[in-house]
């Protein structure tokens, strides 16, 4: 049996991606499933409640990135760097110093969010208590993120994945219990229900931190052994460590915050644009905002989380190759990462678009407008996921400035096209504007990876074309099955939609697996182990 030292880079990436992907998918699915009872319990105020929740989390996400200051990702990067040089003691010292910094940053940013809540509300005073409930989470979540980054620096994704699962389970449990009590037992206001739902972030974080503490104590003997056998040939002062950390962390702040900035632009421009170009009431504009910023976004983040999981796995591996001067391996890692991304992302995004109708009905009930918005959002999920992966790859190559610069270019394009597209396309406008902006960043990043690092673009493009054909074949079959189903069972029932989802999504998944095994695309990307699956399915 292979140990950690003898695993190939591709096997490490696949194993790490498996852990992070499983955790991300489960967390996102759980984070989406809870919406079914939660949405129902808020009754006639469900769209306003979901919009209020989304507004709170969009601002909170930005503050969270500022409070972590990119340090967890930078710690993962620097720990991986020193570990590859057999300097494990330096990595441990870096974590201890970062812990104090993260604690102070979390408290400071939490205090700023609390105090600035009335200003950030921008006239919508319902959001003030929501912001303040989220401010409490800022005090401890940075510490949790930091510890996850420390484990990832050792290319050990299991503790991060496990803590993510525990955090989400506890958060959702608290949300549902408080929502039921407030809305159904004591008949409280929906604003109070939302405040408790956002405070759940703090409760979940406590569970996540305790899980990481358990994992650390369990692995402490292994960490101590590695530290005792370090080379100890490098002399790095605490000041130099902090300087390196900040130099690496600042770009991570912006890249991490970039996708949230797209959402923040939508939050503050969409109501303003719609109030200028339409005669819609503020409540209706709020409901339109909820369709793409809350309802659709919650579902597509299930797909986008796959990209985030892959990015977290790819960075430490790239850093190891760059540190050791293994340029050929680094170039191959770039291609492997993109191929794995397309292998997972293309069928996931197209599949979600294909089953948008039953999927939306299951979670939110029937809404022709909402279903159409979800379809568009599913397509844009590909650009969002690819932007995350490419930016992470650039950072793994120490191309931080370029990653930031290209991300800024995309945001500028988004701002330029936001007003005309929103005015013309309403709820679809912000999604299309985001897709265009992200595509500009993606083009610049791919061009640089090809020119600056000699990435085998033809190989990636060939794989992309093949996977796109297979995904489109799956897409056509699923759309046809959905059309046949709705012809036979023209119903808006949630039960019927669940059955439709099981049949069509299950068929689509099987078709994609069959085609990738039949054409041996799965072998090329996932390795020879999938041959056993081919035997089980009796595919030649």
């Amino acid at each position: 049996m292979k140990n950690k030292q003898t695993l190939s880079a591709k096997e490490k990436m696949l194993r790490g991606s498996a852990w992070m992907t499983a955790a991300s998918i489960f967390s996102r699915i759980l984070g989406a499933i809870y919406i079914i009872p939660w949405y129902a319990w808020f009754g006639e105020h469900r769209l306003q409640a979901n919009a209020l929740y989304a507004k709170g989390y969009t601002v909170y996400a930005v503050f969270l990135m500022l409070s972590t200051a990119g340090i967890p990702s930078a710690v993962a990067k620097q720990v991986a760097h020193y570990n590859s040089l057999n300097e494990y003691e330096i990595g441990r010292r870096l974590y201890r110093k970062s812990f104090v910094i993260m604690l102070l940053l979390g408290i400071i940013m939490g205090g700023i969010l609390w105090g600035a809540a009335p200003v950030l509300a921008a006239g919508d005073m319902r959001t003030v208590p929501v912001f303040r409930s989220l401010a409490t989470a800022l005090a401890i979540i940075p510490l949790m993120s930091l510890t996850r980054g420390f484990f990832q620096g050792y290319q050990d994704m299991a503790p991060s994945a496990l803590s993510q699962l525990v955090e989400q389970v506890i958060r959702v449990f608290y949300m549902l219990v408080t929502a039921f009590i407030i809305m159904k037992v004591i008949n409280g206001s929906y604003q109070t229900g939302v405040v408790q739902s956002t405070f759940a972030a703090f409760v979940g974080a406590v569970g996540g931190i305790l899980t990481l503490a358990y994992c650390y104590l369990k692995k402490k003997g292994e960490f101590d052994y590695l530290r005792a056998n370090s080379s100890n040939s490098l002399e790095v002062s605490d000041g130099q460590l902090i300087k390196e950390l900040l130099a690496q962390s600042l770009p991570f702040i912006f890249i991490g915050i970039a996708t949230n900035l797209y959402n923040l632009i939508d939050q503050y421009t969409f109501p303003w644009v719609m109030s200028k170009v339409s005669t819609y009431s503020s409540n209706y504009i709020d409901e339109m905002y909820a369709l793409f910023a809350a309802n659709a976004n919650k579902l597509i983040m299930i797909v986008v989380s796959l990209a985030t999981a892959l990015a977290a796995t790819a960075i430490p591996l790239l850093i190891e190759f760059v540190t050791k001067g293994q340029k050929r391996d680094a170039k191959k890692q770039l291609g492997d990462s993109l191929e794995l991304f397309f292998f997972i992302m293309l069928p996931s995004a197209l599949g979600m678009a294909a089953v948008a109708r039953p999927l939306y009905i299951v979670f939110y009930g029937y809404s022709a407008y909402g279903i159409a918005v979800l379809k568009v959002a599913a397509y844009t999920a590909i650009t969002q996921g690819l932007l995350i992966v490419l930016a992470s790859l650039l950072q793994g190559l120490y191309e931080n400035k370029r990653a930031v610069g290209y991300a800024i270019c995309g945001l500028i394009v988004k701002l330029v096209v936001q007003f005309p597209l929103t005015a013309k396309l309403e709820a679809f406008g912000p999604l299309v504007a985001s897709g265009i902006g992200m595509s500009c960043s993606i083009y610049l990043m791919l061009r640089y990876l090809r020119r600056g690092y000699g990435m085998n673009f033809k190989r990636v493009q060939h794989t992309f074309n093949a996977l796109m054909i297979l995904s489109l074949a799956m897409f056509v079959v699923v759309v046809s099955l959905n059309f046949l189903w709705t012809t036979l069972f023209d119903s808006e029932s949630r039960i019927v939609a669940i059955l439709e989802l099981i049949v069509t999504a299950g068929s689509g998944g099987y078709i994609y697996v069959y085609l990738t095994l039949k054409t041996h695309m799965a072998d090329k990307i996932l390795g020879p182990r999938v041959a056993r699956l081919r035997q089980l399915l009796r595919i030649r």
Side-chain angles (χ1 to χ4, degrees):
M1 183 177 178
K2 295 181 180 180
N3 58 29
K4 291 182 181 179
Q5 283 69 40
T6 60
L7 285 174
S8 69
K10 189 163 188 174
E11 287 173 322
K12 287 180 181 179
M13 181 179 69
L14 292 173
R15 185 182 64 178
S17 294
W19 269 108
M20 296 303 289
T21 299
S24 295
I25 289 177
F26 180 84
S27 296
R28 292 297 181 181
I29 289 177
L30 184 62
I33 287 178
Y34 87 83
I35 199 70
I36 297 174
W38 189 90
Y39 205 64
W41 293 338
F42 278 88
E44 62 178 335
H45 298 293
R46 56 185 180 274
L47 274 175
Q48 288 90 343
N50 214 9
L52 183 59
Y53 182 89
K55 288 179 179 179
Y57 257 90
T58 299
V59 172
Y60 162 73
V62 174
F63 270 80
L64 182 60
M65 289 306 304
L66 292 174
S67 65
T68 56
I71 290 176
S73 298
V75 165
K77 187 175 181 179
Q78 291 303 96
V79 168
H81 169 77
Y82 287 116
N83 286 357
S84 67
L85 299 174
N86 195 35
E87 295 287 353
Y88 291 93
E89 167 59 26
I90 297 177
R92 292 280 292 273
R93 185 152 50 94
L94 176 63
Y95 172 73
R96 291 195 299 270
K97 300 299 178 184
S98 302
F99 190 92
V100 177
I101 295 174
M102 297 301 291
L103 180 61
L104 291 174
L105 269 175
I107 294 173
I108 291 170
M109 294 308 299
I112 292 174
L113 178 57
W114 183 285
V119 177
L120 295 170
D124 186 358
M125 301 311 291
R126 298 174 306 163
T127 60
V128 172
V130 173
F131 291 147
R132 287 178 172 170
S133 69
L134 288 165
T136 58
L138 289 177
I140 61 172
I141 286 184
L143 299 178
M144 179 176 65
S145 300
L146 172 68
T147 307
R148 286 175 179 171
F150 174 76
F151 280 112
Q152 289 167 17
Y154 281 79
Q155 297 177 19
D156 187 355
M157 304 299 168
S160 294
L162 185 60
S163 70
Q164 187 177 341
L165 292 176
V166 173
E167 177 195 7
Q168 186 74 322
V169 168
I170 293 176
R171 185 181 74 89
V172 169
F173 178 78
Y174 184 86
M175 286 180 68
L176 292 180
V177 170
T178 55
F180 180 78
I181 292 174
I182 292 170
M183 300 306 300
K184 306 303 289 185
V185 177
I186 64 176
N187 294 319
S189 69
Y190 77 88
Q191 291 98 329
T192 304
V194 173
V195 169
Q196 288 302 315
S197 292
T198 49
F199 180 72
F202 172 84
V203 180
V206 172
I209 288 176
L210 292 176
T211 303
L212 288 169
Y214 169 78
C215 291
Y216 180 83
L217 291 174
K218 190 175 180 181
K219 293 176 177 287
K220 189 175 185 299
E222 181 183 339
F223 291 148
D224 290 343
Y225 173 82
L226 291 171
R227 181 173 62 178
N229 290 275
S230 295
S231 298
N232 297 324
S233 57
L234 287 179
E235 292 186 7
V236 184
S237 66
D238 290 347
Q240 187 178 345
L241 271 179
I242 300 302
K243 184 178 179 180
E244 287 180 357
L245 182 67
L246 293 177
Q248 294 298 327
S249 67
L250 293 177
F252 276 103
I253 299 176
F254 187 82
I255 295 303
I257 214 173
T259 53
N260 291 319
L261 286 178
Y262 278 89
N263 296 332
L264 202 63
I265 290 171
D266 293 338
Q267 178 169 325
Y268 287 104
T269 62
F270 182 77
W272 177 75
V273 172
M274 293 309 301
S275 67
K276 296 292 183 182
V277 301
S278 74
T279 57
Y280 298 142
S281 68
S282 59
N283 278 342
Y284 184 68
I285 292 174
D286 217 28
E287 291 176 0
M288 291 173 67
Y289 171 79
L291 290 180
F292 71 87
N295 292 14
N297 187 62
K298 193 174 293 292
L299 294 177
I300 67 165
M301 286 309 295
I302 297 173
V303 177
V304 174
S305 65
L306 303 176
T308 306
L310 175 58
T313 306
I315 290 178
L317 292 170
L318 264 180
I319 290 166
E320 181 178 340
F321 292 139
V322 173
T323 302
K324 294 180 178 178
Q326 299 171 340
K327 294 182 179 180
R328 180 178 296 179
D329 289 328
K331 185 168 70 173
K332 185 177 183 299
Q333 180 65 35
L334 292 173
D336 288 345
S337 298
L338 288 177
E339 285 184 336
L340 182 58
F341 168 80
F342 289 127
F343 182 80
I344 298 172
M345 197 71 172
L346 289 178
S348 299
L350 292 178
M352 180 170 285
V355 299
R357 182 184 183 276
L359 185 64
Y360 195 92
I361 292 174
V362 168
F363 284 95
Y364 305 109
Y366 181 80
S367 167
Y369 200 173
I371 292 168
V373 168
L374 178 57
K375 288 180 181 179
V376 175
Y379 298 129
T380 62
I382 298 175
T383 58
Q384 187 173 346
L386 186 54
L387 176 62
I388 292 171
V389 170
L390 289 174
S392 299
L393 293 178
L394 282 173
Q395 289 175 290
L397 294 168
Y398 292 91
E399 294 289 352
N400 299 330
K401 291 182 180 179
R402 291 186 184 276
V404 171
Y406 295 153
I408 290 175
C409 289
L411 280 167
I412 292 173
V413 172
K414 158 82 169 176
L415 283 168
V416 170
V417 300
Q418 178 82 349
F419 187 100
L421 287 176
T422 301
K424 184 70 175 177
L425 302 176
E426 297 185 346
F428 300 98
L431 295 174
V432 177
S434 294
I436 293 173
M438 291 177 182
S439 295
C440 290
S441 296
I442 289 168
Y443 168 76
L444 293 171
M445 292 175 181
L446 284 175
R447 186 182 66 172
Y448 181 75
L449 287 175
R450 184 179 63 176
R451 294 179 179 179
Y453 284 86
M455 185 184 73
N456 192 337
F457 195 76
K458 287 186 178 180
R459 166 197 157 190
V460 175
Q461 187 173 28
H462 175 76
T463 301
F464 172 82
N465 293 340
L467 291 173
M468 178 58 82
I469 291 172
L470 300 182
S471 299
L472 285 174
M474 176 271 296
F475 177 82
V476 170
V477 172
V478 174
V479 169
S480 301
L481 286 174
N482 276 324
F483 176 77
L484 179 62
W485 184 282
T486 53
T487 301
L488 296 174
F489 310 101
D490 186 13
S491 172
E492 299 173 4
S493 164
R494 180 169 274 132
I495 299 299
V496 174
I498 291 174
L499 294 175
E500 180 183 357
L501 201 57
I502 292 172
V503 172
T504 56
S507 299
Y510 177 81
I511 290 168
Y512 182 73
V513 170
Y514 177 86
L515 291 175
T516 54
L517 290 173
K518 184 70 175 178
T519 59
H520 289 256
M521 284 300 299
D523 302 67
K524 176 184 176 183
I525 297 171
L526 302 179
R529 292 185 178 181
V530 298
R532 178 166 175 77
L533 180 58
R534 185 183 295 103
Q535 292 174 352
L536 290 174
L537 297 177
R538 298 182 180 180
I539 300 173
R540 294 182 179 180

